[in-house]
Amino acid sequence: MVLITGASRGIGAACARLLAQRGHRVFGTTRQTGALPPSPPVPGPGSLEMLQLDVDDDESVRAGVRSVVEQAGRLDVAVNNAGIGIVGPVEDTSEEEARAQFETNLLGAWRVCRAALPLMRQQGSGLIVNIGSIGGLAGIPFQAAYSAGKFGLEGLTESLRMEVRPFGIRVVIIEPGNIDTDATARSPYTRARTLAYEEHLERATQTMIRGERKGARPEAVARLLERLMFIPRPRVRYTVGPAPERAAASVKRVLPSRLFERLLLPAYGLSPRR
């Protein structure tokens, strides 16, 4: 039995569809209120059911997990995928805008973990998969709040993994690079817009949008997720996506920071000031 947050589109939807097609019973969540979209038909022996769940709200998360347990009797895998983004420099990003990202991208995962862990401990088994980002290993210019939340998810994953290992619970983080979901194109800009940043902001943003459209399909993340479900002792982190981005995550660990920045800036259409 699998619970996937943020399953109405993008990576979450791809994961939900693939796992259901492979025979798993999947509960996908959406924060949409009112009438839920009909669950798409799934070829094969599995099933996909959609639930209303807002990861920003404690009671909504608890109620969603209770609903899953009442219907399925157990929870084998919890995938923390729900996330939002906003585009703009730190100077223009208000505390309210930054807090909204942390609330969903970091604390949302935290809430789901807290709701799922008592059941998994009782079962003596379970898998928690946090969907992070290459942007949680190397900061993304003009998406600092997004990167900060994903950096936080790295720390949450490492700490939680050690805490729950004695109970037979596995915890991993998947770090996608560019994935063809149009995530940046759909992300709003900050309300404030300082003219001094405008040229660099637009150049970096358009470069990121083009990169995502040339990126891996979200099904690549779904296939990796399915493999992780059957690994008894998984590593703490797994990257997925274009090879140069995955390599950059490894290179960062060994290169001096200033050299790494000089190599990274052109990837965002930027250049170091001379």
Side-chain angles (χ1 to χ4, degrees), residues 253-269:
R253 301 188 185 104
V254 297
L255 282 185
S257 295
R258 291 186 66 181
L259 177 56
F260 180 76
E261 284 180 358
R262 289 183 69 87
L263 294 174
L264 194 63
L265 281 166
Y268 296 106

Side-chain angles (χ1 to χ4, degrees), residues 1-3 25-27 47 49 51 63-77 115-116 118-126:
M1 212 303 302
V2 183
L3 173 67
R25 186 175 184 184
V26 180
F27 291 86
S47 65
E49 302 158 66
L51 300 173
V65 171
R66 279 198 306 269
S67 176
V68 169
V69 174
E70 288 168 1
Q71 295 180 65
R74 61 183 294 115
L75 177 57
D76 298 303
V77 183
L119 177 64
M120 289 183 173
R121 280 194 295 102
Q122 185 179 16
Q123 294 171 173
S125 65

Side-chain angles (χ1 to χ4, degrees), residues 197-216:
Y197 291 104
E198 201 68 19
E199 180 184 351
H200 294 158
L201 168 62
E202 287 303 319
R203 188 184 304 135
T205 301
Q206 293 306 314
T207 300
M208 285 184 271
I209 289 172
R210 289 193 296 271
E212 286 178 356
R213 289 175 178 165
K214 295 177 182 178

Side-chain angles (χ1 to χ4, degrees), residues 56 84 86 93-108 111 145-146 149:
D56 289 5
I84 60 173
I86 193 167
T93 306
S94 67
E95 290 183 16
E96 178 187 0
E97 290 168 324
R99 189 176 292 114
Q101 287 201 79
F102 300 151
E103 197 70 54
T104 297
N105 297 3
L106 178 57
L107 295 179
R111 291 185 184 95
Y146 176 85

Side-chain angles (χ1 to χ4, degrees), residues 132-212:
S133 170
I134 294 293
L137 299 174
I140 301 174
F142 303 109
Q143 293 192 36
Y146 176 85
S147 279
K150 294 299 187 180
F151 268 80
L153 201 58
E154 295 282 334
L156 168 62
T157 302
E158 291 184 3
S159 297
L160 179 61
R161 178 181 168 94
M162 292 184 283
E163 293 173 5
V164 300
R165 185 171 178 177
F167 304 106
I169 302 169
R170 298 164 291 153
V171 183
V172 302
I173 186 166
I174 293 176
E175 300 155 340
N178 273 331
I179 303 295
D180 184 15
T181 62
D182 267 351
T184 298
R186 288 187 282 103
S187 296
Y189 283 84
T190 54
R191 288 188 295 270
R193 298 287 290 269
T194 299
L195 185 60
Y197 291 104
E198 201 68 19
E199 180 184 351
H200 294 158
L201 168 62
E202 287 303 319
R203 188 184 304 135
T205 301
Q206 293 306 314
T207 300
M208 285 184 271
I209 289 172
R210 289 193 296 271
E212 286 178 356

